[in-house]
Amino acid sequence: MDTPHEPRWLDDDEQRTWLRTLAMIMRLMPALDAQLQRDAGLSNFEYQVLAGLSESEGRTMRISLLAKMAEGSLARVSQVLSRLEKRGWIRRMPDPEDGRYTLAVLTDDGFEVVRRAAPGHVETVRRYVFDPLTRAQVRQLAAISGRVLTAIDPDENCF
């Protein structure tokens, strides 16, 4: 019979780092949401979906890939796409290459929404994430984030 292993408790430095990282993540997303709601009437998730489409070839993407890119479930992305479709910012169509898939297509009106929202969003990201850091710290943050993401999902190629 296996004996339970003693948990690998966090030491004081790890505990402090974990709590700061958790607080940063928990506070950053509402701050981004607040700015986008105030300035563009969008949630951060809606913006990520629209921005992802705006940067894809032909402003078109399979909904399953869009969900992966936006870090959301297929159900959540479908709900958001329904709201965006009602506003005339996206449309859905069958994938002509494989009818089992559905494509989301960013309309011209949707692209205009992204174009208007992007400057305020990037300024908020810059103010909260990049302005407090040195260039070396930015590179460290990228490396650290990459390592954590790889630990979470080794098969996923994250950025």
Side-chain angles (χ1 to χ4, degrees), residues 42-54:
L42 294 169
S43 71
N44 185 50
F45 191 76
E46 290 169 329
Y47 177 80
Q48 295 308 322
V49 167
L50 291 171
L53 285 171
S54 77

Side-chain angles (χ1 to χ4, degrees), residues 3-152:
T3 31
H5 295 290
E6 179 69 19
R8 296 183 311 138
W9 301 110
L10 302 178
D11 65 29
D12 289 345
D13 284 342
E14 291 168 333
Q15 179 75 3
R16 184 173 38 260
T17 300
W18 169 241
L19 292 175
R20 285 182 178 181
T21 302
L22 187 59
M24 177 186 66
I25 293 166
M26 299 298 285
R27 292 178 187 180
L28 181 59
M29 299 317 288
L32 294 174
D33 265 328
Q35 178 274 318
L36 282 163
Q37 278 294 343
R38 181 185 66 243
D39 296 348
L42 294 169
S43 71
N44 185 50
F45 191 76
E46 290 169 329
Y47 177 80
Q48 295 308 322
V49 167
L50 291 171
L53 285 171
S54 77
E55 295 175 1
S56 64
E57 186 176 331
R59 298 185 197 162
T60 302
M61 190 181 297
R62 282 183 177 171
I63 293 174
S64 55
L65 294 175
L66 186 58
K68 187 174 219 151
M69 181 276 314
E71 299 289 341
S73 68
L74 195 53
R76 182 177 184 199
V77 169
S78 290
Q79 287 179 338
V80 164
L81 290 175
S82 292
R83 287 196 306 269
L84 299 176
E85 197 168 28
K86 286 177 187 170
R87 295 178 187 173
W89 297 344
I90 68 107
R91 63 184 171 81
R92 293 184 243 205
M93 60 182 263
D95 186 337
E97 293 179 13
D98 188 338
R100 296 175 295 172
Y101 295 98
T102 302
L103 300 176
V105 182
L106 186 67
T107 66
D108 290 342
D109 287 347
F111 183 76
E112 184 61 22
V113 168
V114 174
R115 192 190 67 71
R116 285 193 320 264
H121 176 67
V122 76
E123 180 56 37
T124 302
V125 169
R126 181 169 295 291
R127 181 173 0 123
Y128 292 141
V129 179
F130 295 105
D131 287 350
L133 303 177
T134 66
R135 293 306 266 166
Q137 288 170 327
V138 168
R139 289 189 296 275
Q140 289 171 338
L141 181 59
I144 291 165
S145 299
R147 289 183 71 136
V148 171
L149 288 168
T150 298
I152 294 167

